[in-house]
Amino acid sequence: MPSPLTETRTLPELVELVLAEGRDVDLTGAELLVGWENAVIRTADGWIYRFPRLGPESYRRELVILDRLAGTLPVRTPEIAWTGRRAEFAAYRTIVGATADAESLRTAPEEVRLRTAQSLAAFLAAMHSRFEPAERTELGIDRFDPRAMAAELEEALPSLPAAARAGLRTVLDAFRETGLARPEPDPVTLHGDFHFGNLVLDQPTGVVTGVWDFSCVAAGNPSLDLRYLLRDPADLGDLIARCYAEVTGRELDVLRARLAGDLEELTDALTEQRPIGPVLRSALSQL
């Protein structure tokens, strides 16, 4: 998966691709945002032009997934207005809402935190129930297997300093003691990139009203959709797990999710050639 640091296309280059479509667009004041899966032009007049970074197959799959999800979830999702003909990108209106105020959520009264957690859990429950196994196969939705990240870290062990090797072995041992180290017998449909940067609320400490970025949809243990939210200072993981169990009858394993997030953060650090020490210390502090 390409790191955002490897993006070589510039805002003017991507603007040219949009303009080449010959549509009536206003790109005045547009800005470029780059993530692991997509590069996005966000315009002042409320449009998103989303360019895939994982290749055409992933891009086309997301378009089909968005079409099939339309109207089936308890939140707004991107409604594709048009797609590029000369270059592959999708255009849709920005989903308007409030950005979560993580610090305010962390210190908010219990009823406020519970309301937000209930809305997050309701989205996850609905998302997880979409697409039966046969439809996931048809759509090319692969399994998300944390064991691949563990194998990558095992391979990197000999090249790490002694102190880092010892800490990483502790994390990997903890991983092996969870159900993550075994194939998931009853996978659900994961959003795959669920965090406060990919959603909006009705107010900064409110309920979820819109979610985007379905490029990482996968099949796996439902706990895995918590792995990014657990890094957020809002610290709603346990509440979301409780609300999810009330809705679905299925438990979310917060420790399992945290370990998966730690493995991913560690592999990302190696990919970007960042020191893994700070990430490792954070992971060890949670064990």
Side-chain angles (χ1 to χ4, degrees):
M1 185 179 294
S3 160
L5 299 180
T6 65
E7 179 60 61
T8 59
R9 297 171 298 180
T10 65
L11 177 59
E13 288 171 334
L14 294 180
V15 163
E16 284 300 314
L17 292 176
V18 176
L19 294 175
E21 297 293 325
R23 292 179 175 264
D24 182 17
V25 298
D26 182 2
L27 298 174
T28 306
E31 60 178 330
L32 175 63
L33 307 172
V34 180
W36 286 81
E37 293 85 24
N38 299 275
V40 167
I41 295 176
R42 184 167 63 189
T43 72
D45 63 346
W47 281 92
I48 296 291
Y49 301 101
R50 183 177 164 96
F51 292 81
R53 302 185 67 233
L54 299 182
E57 184 177 339
S58 176
Y59 161 75
R60 293 166 191 163
R61 186 193 71 158
E62 184 178 10
L63 294 184
V64 176
I65 287 173
L66 283 172
D67 182 63
R68 297 200 187 181
L69 286 176
T72 69
L73 299 174
V75 299
R76 288 187 61 197
T77 55
E79 299 176 13
I80 305 300
W82 55 276
T83 57
R85 295 169 298 173
R86 301 187 179 194
E88 292 200 294
F89 66 90
Y92 59 89
R93 297 293 295 183
T94 303
I95 298 177
V96 178
T99 301
D101 184 332
E103 182 58 27
S104 294
L105 273 172
R106 188 181 67 81
T107 58
E110 185 72 6
E111 63 269 19
V112 173
R113 288 167 49 77
L114 181 60
R115 187 175 67 233
T116 301
Q118 286 172 331
S119 72
L120 292 164
F123 168 80
L124 290 176
M127 183 71 204
H128 291 173
S129 67
R130 295 293 288 120
F131 307 141
E132 293 298 322
E135 192 172 9
R136 290 200 292 259
T137 299
E138 175 203 344
L139 292 170
I141 295 175
D142 296 326
R143 289 206 178 200
F144 174 59
D145 190 350
R147 292 178 299 174
M149 296 185 295
E152 184 177 342
L153 292 169
E154 288 272 12
E155 187 176 341
L157 268 173
S159 64
L160 299 177
R165 287 201 302 272
L168 184 52
R169 284 196 183 97
T170 299
V171 173
L172 290 171
D173 287 343
F175 163 78
R176 293 187 191 95
E177 291 172 3
T178 73
L180 287 171
R182 299 184 296 276
E184 171 54 44
D186 186 20
V188 301
T189 301
L190 304 169
H191 176 275
D193 199 10
F194 195 57
H195 56 79
F196 282 121
N198 280 338
L199 58 85
V200 287
L201 312 178
D202 63 346
Q203 56 182 313
T205 56
V207 299
V208 181
T209 56
V211 176
W212 56 87
D213 198 345
F214 290 81
S215 56
C216 292
V217 169
N221 185 283
S223 305
L224 295 171
D225 257 342
L226 288 182
R227 68 189 189 279
Y228 297 138
L229 284 174
L230 294 174
R231 300 180 196 172
D232 195 278
D235 192 26
L236 292 168
D238 289 331
L239 264 183
I240 296 168
R242 189 179 89 193
C243 295
Y244 184 91
E246 290 171 355
V247 172
T248 67
R250 186 167 182 176
E251 300 290 333
L252 297 182
D253 188 328
V254 174
L255 174 60
R256 181 181 298 195
R258 181 170 285 116
L259 277 167
D262 291 338
L263 292 182
E264 191 162 357
E265 183 70 11
L266 286 163
T267 55
D268 288 351
L270 290 175
T271 298
E272 295 184 327
Q273 298 182 324
R274 292 186 277 116
I276 71 166
V279 182
L280 196 53
R281 285 192 291 274
S282 175
L284 291 170
S285 71
Q286 302 293 333
L287 296 178

